[in-house]
Amino acid sequence: MKRLACAVFLAGHLLAQVTYDRLLNAEKEPGSWLTYSGRYEGWRYSPLAQVTRENVKNLKVKWVHQMPTTHLVETTPLVADGVMYVTEPPSNVAALDAATGKLFWRYRRQYPPKINVCCGQVNRGVALLGDRVFVGTVDAHLVSLDAKTGDVLWDVEVANYQHGYSVTVAPLAVKDMIIVGIAGGEYGIRGFLDAYDAKTGKRRWRFWTIPGPGEKGNETWSGDSWKTGGGSTWVTGSYDVAQNLIIWGVGNPSPDWNGDKRLGDNLYSDSAIAVDADTGQLKWHFQFVPHDLHDWDAVQVPILVDDEFQGTRRKLVYWAHRNAFYYALDRTSGKFLLGKPFATQTWAKGLDPNGRPIRLPNIDPSPEGTYVWPGVQGATNWYSPSYNPLTRNFYVSAWENRSVYRKGDQEYTPGNRFIGSVPLIELPDEPGHGAIRALNPRTGERLWEYKLHTKPWAGVLTTAGKLLFGGSDEGYYFALDAETGKELWRLHTGGVIRSNGISYTANGKQIMAVAAGSAIFTFELP
Amino acid sequence: MGSMAILLAALPIVAQEPVRNPHTTPADIEQGAKTFRSHCAACHGFAGTGGRGPNLTTGVFYRGGSDADLLRNISDGIEGTEMPALFYSPDRVWQVIAYLRSIGSGAGKVAGNAAQGQKVYASNGCAKCHRVSAEGGRLGPDLTSIGRYRAAGHLKQAIVAPNEDVRQRYWFVSARKGSQALAGFLMNEDTYTVQFMDMNENLRSESKSDLKEYKVEKVSKMPAFKLKDSDLDDLVAYLASLKGGSR
C-alpha cells in the first residue's frame, strides 16, 4: 500500500514536470500546448479534431480572463497539466486553471521608471521546462519562476535595458536550456541569441547576430557600424531536433532607414540563422534582405517540414518574409530553393538563383520620401504562420499596404532611438487591407485568400479538424475552412487581437484560446 | 517637519528664478530639429504639426508650457499617456525645446478680425454642419476648440480646399438597403459591418451583407468656399480664436 501510494505520488509528480521528452513529443499530447508554436517545428498546428468544419458554428465562449494591464497583449498561452500560463504585459505572468480561467498565482515584476521599447511594452509568452516557468522582461532580464507558486527562482540580466535592450520574445526550452532573443533594433543594439542553463540561470552561450572584428561577416559592416548594427531576435524560433539546430530569425540593421554609415550586406541582419543547440555555433544562414533600408526584419516563425520538393525528399524551411516574398530553403544548408511574392511588392524585380533580391531603382528612403510596397510593417510581421500536415498547406496573415520611406541624419546615443528619420508608416488616405492567405509551400502558389478590411496583427492556428483560426484588429476571432478559405464561424471579442491562438483540452473537451483586448478568451462546443 | 523646512527654504528660490532654456542658439535649434525628427516625429509629425500625438506648433502645451514643464515632460514622459521618457541628457532636451519654440512662435497670429469672422461663419451657413459650444450641426467636425489643434494655414486650406485633407471620420458612405438609399459619414468600418451618421444625424449600424452598391468615398462633402480674401482671413481668425472645451 505504501509502495503504491509512493508510486502514485511519483507518477503525479513526474506528470507535472514538463520534461524535455514531453517537448520532443508534443504532438503526442494534443491536450497541452507546451511551446510557443505548439511544437519545435513551428507549425502552430493542433492535432485535435473535436471541433470540425461541421460543428464549429456552435463554438461559444467558455471563460474569459481579464488582465490588469493597459498595454497591448501579444501573449501565446501555454497549457500543461491543467494549468494555463500567460504573460500579462509588460512582463508579468499569471497561472490559471485551464478549465475555468481562475487564477492560481501571479508574478508581478517591479519595473524601473524609464523603459524604452520601440513598439509597446509587450510580451509574447513564457517557456515551460521541468517545474519551472521562464519569462523575459522589458528591462531585459530572464526570470525563472516556480510553476506551482510563481516564486522567483532566479533573475538574470540578459542585457542593459538603459541601452535600448529589452526581451519581449517568448523563450524556447531546448534540452536543459532556455533560448532567448533580444529586442532593440530601433535603439542601435548589437543583437544576439542566448542560451541559459535552466537550473542556474548561467549563460551557456551567446551567438552575436552582428559579428565582431575577426569574425566572419564583420567585413559586411563599414567602419564601427557593427557596434550598433541592430540584428534583434525578438520572435521565437524553431528547433530541428535531428540536426540539433536552432533556427531563428534576425531583425533589421540599425539605423533602420539610413544605411550610409553601415555599408555592406550587414550580416546577419534580416537573416534566418541556424546555430548548434549545444554550442551556439553558426551552421548556416540565409539573408533575405542584404543591406536593408526598409525595416524588414526576418522575425517570422520558421516552419520546419520534411517533404517532397521538386521530386526529392528534403528537409525544408518555409518562410513568408516581411519583404513580401515567400521562401523555401533547404534546412541542411540554408540553400535557397524557391522564392515568390505572396503580397504586392514594388522593390525587387525578382530573386536571383541564390535568392538574393534584384532591386529595382529608386526604392531607397529619401529625404522627400519614397513610396514602396510593402510598407514598414511589411507584408507580414511577427505574428505566426501555420502549417497543416493534413492539407500540406502554408497559411499566413498578409498585408496589402505601402509606406513613405524617409531618410534623415542619425547619430547614436545610448538608449535612444537610432533609426535614421521617421517614415510615414500609415497613409491615412490609403490604409491598405489584410487577408489570410493559403499557399502551396512547395510552389509558392496562392490557393485561396480570405479578405479583411483591416490589416491583421494576429497569427493563424490550424487544426486536425481542417480549420484555420485567425483574428483581426477589428476584434473578430474567426474560423475558416483550411481547404477553401470559406468562413465558418466568427465572434466579436470587443478588443483588438494581436496575438496567436492555441488549442488544448480541459475535461476531455477541445478548447480554442486567444488573447483579445486585455483578456484571454476561450471557446468550446456546447 | 524637517522636510517642510527644506521645502520652505527652497520655494523662494524657485519663485525668483524660473528655469530658462540655456540652449537657444541657431545651432541648438538645428540640432534640436534633428533629434526631434529621429525621436518625436513618429507621433508628433515630421514638422511637429501632430498625428498620433498633439500638434506642437500652436504654442499651446496642455501639460504645461514653461521651459521647466517641457524639460520634465520630454525627459520623464507623461504618465498615463503614450508619451515615453527619453534617455537624452538635459542639454539635448533643451535643444529640442529650442526647436519647439522655433516652430511654435508666431503660430496663432492671424491677419483677420475674429469678431468679423464670426459673422462670416454665420452668413455662410457653417453652423448647418459644424458645432461651436454645443450650437450647430453634427455632420462636420466640432470646432469648439479647433484653434488649439490647428495652425492658421491648415484652417485656411480646410476652407478653400477641403478635399486636400479629409479625415477618415468624414469619408462619405453610400449604399442601398432594399429600396432605401443610405448616405452619411463614416464612423467605423470592419470586414462585415459599417457604422455611420446619416444626413439626418441618425447613428446607423449596418451589416454589409444587407447592403447593395456599398461605397466609401474619400472625399469631403464640405463645399470649397470661395470667399473674399478679407472674409477668409476673418473666418480663419475666428476659428483660430476658438479655444474652448475642457481639455
Side-chain angles (χ1 to χ4, degrees):
Chain A
M1 189 64 203
K2 207 171 184 182
R3 178 174 289 182
L4 182 62
C6 185
V8 168
F9 171 77
L10 255 178
H13 182 70
L14 285 175
L15 200 66
Q17 293 267 347
V18 179
T19 59
Y20 176 54
D21 199 50
R22 284 178 72 186
L23 299 181
L24 284 173
N25 295 291
E27 79 277 9
K28 291 182 188 152
E29 50 171 309
S32 305
W33 194 273
L34 298 176
T35 63
Y36 182 70
S37 297
R39 55 196 286 167
Y40 279 141
E41 294 92 334
W43 291 1
R44 199 162 288 274
Y45 164 76
S46 168
L48 296 171
Q50 291 176 19
V51 181
T52 65
R53 290 179 285 192
E54 289 70 38
N55 65 22
V56 65
K57 61 177 184 288
N58 300 320
L59 272 187
K60 296 279 185 296
V61 173
K62 180 177 172 67
W63 54 257
V64 177
H65 166 74
Q66 292 285 353
M67 301 181 181
T69 184
T70 53
H71 299 281
L72 265 175
V73 180
E74 297 186 353
T75 192
T76 287
L78 298 192
V79 178
D81 308 311
V83 182
M84 177 184 283
Y85 301 92
V86 297
T87 54
E88 301 181 329
S91 315
N92 300 331
V93 181
L96 312 173
D97 176 355
T100 64
K102 303 305 284 184
L103 181 76
F104 288 124
W105 53 257
R106 174 174 280 131
Y107 162 66
R108 287 177 203 270
R109 186 169 181 79
Q110 297 297 312
Y111 301 94
K114 283 189 181 185
I115 291 172
N116 270 356
V117 285
C118 79
C119 315
Q121 294 194 23
V122 298
N123 185 287
R124 297 186 196 84
V126 300
L128 300 177
L129 187 65
D131 54 4
R132 296 182 176 200
V133 180
F134 301 87
V135 62
T137 71
V138 286
D139 53 332
H141 280 230
L142 180 65
V143 181
S144 169
L145 305 172
D146 185 300
K148 293 282 171 63
T149 63
D151 291 338
V152 176
L153 300 172
W154 49 255
D155 177 336
V156 298
E157 184 188 67
V158 173
N160 182 356
Y161 77 94
Q162 292 181 307
H163 289 183
Y165 292 83
S166 58
V167 180
T168 60
V169 66
L172 184 67
V174 171
K175 298 183 177 179
D176 60 346
M177 296 175 291
I178 303 302
I179 312 299
V180 68
I182 195 77
E186 276 64 52
Y187 294 89
I189 63 161
R190 183 185 173 205
F192 53 80
L193 187 66
D194 277 356
Y196 292 85
D197 183 303
K199 258 209 182 82
T200 63
K202 193 163 176 283
R203 197 165 86 204
R204 291 271 185 85
W205 51 256
R206 168 168 289 182
F207 173 74
W208 289 103
T209 58
I210 311 293
E215 292 175 313
K216 194 165 167 275
N218 181 261
E219 72 285 357
T220 65
W221 295 86
S222 58
D224 279 343
S225 60
W226 62 274
K227 290 180 179 170
T228 53
S232 50
T233 46
W234 52 277
V235 171
T236 310
S238 300
Y239 176 48
D240 179 336
V241 178
Q243 295 196 90
N244 196 34
L245 287 181
I246 289 164
I247 300 175
W248 208 281
V250 181
N252 62 279
S254 301
D256 304 38
W257 298 290
N258 184 338
D260 291 352
K261 289 182 182 151
R262 52 172 175 84
L263 301 177
D265 277 359
N266 305 145
L267 290 171
Y268 297 97
S269 69
D270 291 5
S271 299
I273 54 167
V275 299
D276 183 282
D278 294 322
T279 65
Q281 293 288 310
L282 185 72
K283 171 92 185 291
W284 56 255
H285 79 277
F286 175 80
Q287 190 175 39
F288 299 95
V289 189
H291 191 67
D292 177 20
L293 298 172
H294 297 92
D295 190 19
W296 290 333
D297 307 56
V299 289
Q300 294 77 42
V301 176
I303 287 191
L304 316 185
V305 176
D306 295 351
D307 205 346
E308 291 287 323
F309 189 90
Q310 295 171 355
T312 316
R313 185 140 188 103
R314 292 192 99 126
K315 290 176 180 294
L316 300 159
V317 187
Y318 297 153
W319 201 303
H321 189 266
R322 196 161 158 172
N323 70 11
F325 282 84
Y326 163 81
Y327 297 78
L329 308 175
D330 181 298
R331 206 163 74 236
T332 62
S333 62
K335 186 177 159 13
F336 168 79
L337 300 174
L338 172 84
K340 196 172 175 177
F342 68 94
T344 305
Q345 64 85 21
T346 60
W347 69 280
K349 197 175 151 199
L351 306 175
D352 77 8
N354 295 316
R356 195 179 173 91
I358 305 159
R359 283 181 159 86
L360 290 163
N362 306 319
I363 58 153
D364 291 353
S366 54
E368 64 280 8
T370 308
Y371 283 90
V372 176
W373 300 70
V376 171
Q377 303 292 9
T380 191
N381 204 310
W382 60 266
Y383 33 81
S384 292
S386 176
Y387 174 76
N388 189 310
L390 303 181
T391 64
R392 290 172 72 220
N393 293 339
F394 176 95
Y395 303 90
V396 62
S397 300
W399 287 24
E400 289 291 343
N401 79 123
R402 65 174 182 168
S403 291
V404 178
Y405 291 89
R406 286 184 177 137
K407 179 182 179 177
D409 292 337
Q410 188 74 64
E411 67 174 289
Y412 175 77
T413 54
N416 295 304
R417 290 207 177 212
F418 185 56
I419 54 182
S421 196
V422 176
L424 278 176
I425 297 173
E426 288 287 330
L427 309 181
D429 287 345
E430 217 185 308
H433 72 271
I436 307 297
R437 288 181 178 155
L439 308 181
N440 175 340
R442 295 162 301 282
T443 62
E445 173 203 3
R446 189 191 300 173
L447 302 170
W448 55 256
E449 81 162 347
Y450 174 75
K451 262 196 182 177
L452 291 164
H453 180 71
T454 52
K455 296 168 295 199
W457 283 96
V460 289
L461 163 79
T462 64
T463 71
K466 291 195 181 173
L467 288 165
L468 175 148
F469 288 85
S472 66
D473 260 29
E474 303 164 18
Y476 294 95
Y477 199 51
F478 49 80
L480 311 180
D481 182 330
E483 285 184 326
T484 65
K486 185 174 182 280
E487 183 193 302
L488 300 173
W489 169 83
R490 71 167 182 262
L491 184 132
H492 193 236
T493 64
V496 295
I497 302 181
R498 292 196 167 188
S499 60
N500 305 305
I502 66 159
S503 188
Y504 65 98
T505 56
N507 304 319
K509 283 184 77 176
Q510 183 179 3
I511 294 174
M512 321 305 305
V514 72
S518 302
I520 301 293
F521 277 74
T522 59
F523 309 95
E524 73 175 5
L525 295 172
Chain B
M1 192 64 202
S3 63
M4 173 84 89
I6 292 165
L7 193 65
L8 288 173
L11 267 176
I13 297 166
V14 173
Q16 280 164 13
E17 289 181 35
V19 181
R20 290 260 181 245
N21 185 353
H23 294 275
T24 57
T25 66
D28 287 323
I29 293 172
E30 195 180 323
Q31 181 54 46
K34 283 183 183 170
T35 305
F36 182 88
R37 285 177 195 138
S38 64
H39 198 103
C40 318
C43 295
H44 292 290
F46 203 65
T49 49
R52 182 171 154 196
N55 182 352
L56 302 176
T57 64
T58 62
V60 179
F61 299 95
Y62 303 117
R63 303 295 178 129
S66 71
D67 283 355
D69 291 334
L70 291 172
L71 179 69
R72 181 194 63 237
N73 289 339
I74 297 172
S75 302
D76 301 342
I78 301 176
E79 195 150 328
T81 74
E82 293 180 70
M83 174 78 180
L86 281 181
F87 283 89
Y88 283 120
S89 66
D91 288 359
R92 295 290 294 272
V93 178
W94 281 128
Q95 291 170 328
V96 172
I97 294 170
Y99 170 67
L100 290 179
R101 297 295 188 205
S102 78
I103 59 173
S105 61
K109 282 182 197 157
V110 286
N113 174 308
Q116 281 301 322
Q118 189 167 8
K119 291 178 188 161
V120 178
Y121 182 88
S123 63
N124 280 281
C126 303
K128 277 186 208 155
C129 297
H130 293 284
R131 237 166 147 72
V132 174
S133 304
E135 296 284 336
R138 293 183 174 94
L139 294 179
D142 188 312
L143 302 176
T144 305
S145 50
I146 196 70
R148 287 179 168 197
Y149 304 111
R150 293 283 179 269
H154 192 274
L155 291 170
K156 195 178 255 185
Q157 183 201 47
I159 297 164
V160 301
N163 265 321
E164 291 294 308
D165 183 14
V166 189
R167 303 187 71 180
Q168 196 171 355
R169 166 65 184 81
Y170 299 98
W171 289 357
F172 189 67
V173 179
S174 62
R176 300 197 70 80
K177 186 183 184 186
S179 59
Q180 198 187 2
L182 302 179
F185 295 96
L186 185 66
M187 300 181 90
N188 187 28
E189 182 183 14
D190 65 34
T191 303
Y192 322 99
T193 71
V194 60
Q195 291 72 39
F196 59 97
M197 179 183 285
D198 75 11
M199 303 310 279
N200 297 316
E201 298 187 358
N202 296 310
L203 300 182
R204 304 200 58 134
S205 181
E206 301 288 347
S207 178
K208 287 183 182 176
S209 60
D210 296 338
L211 304 179
K212 286 197 172 114
E213 297 165 37
Y214 172 71
K215 222 170 31 177
V216 177
E217 294 170 273
K218 301 170 186 179
V219 296
S220 174
K221 283 291 156 183
M222 173 163 148
F225 281 89
K226 292 188 172 57
L227 301 174
K228 278 196 307 188
D229 283 355
S230 60
D231 282 358
L232 183 58
D233 286 345
D234 291 344
L235 181 54
V236 169
Y238 169 62
L239 295 174
S241 76
L242 296 175
K243 294 181 177 174
S246 56
R247 188 172 167 186

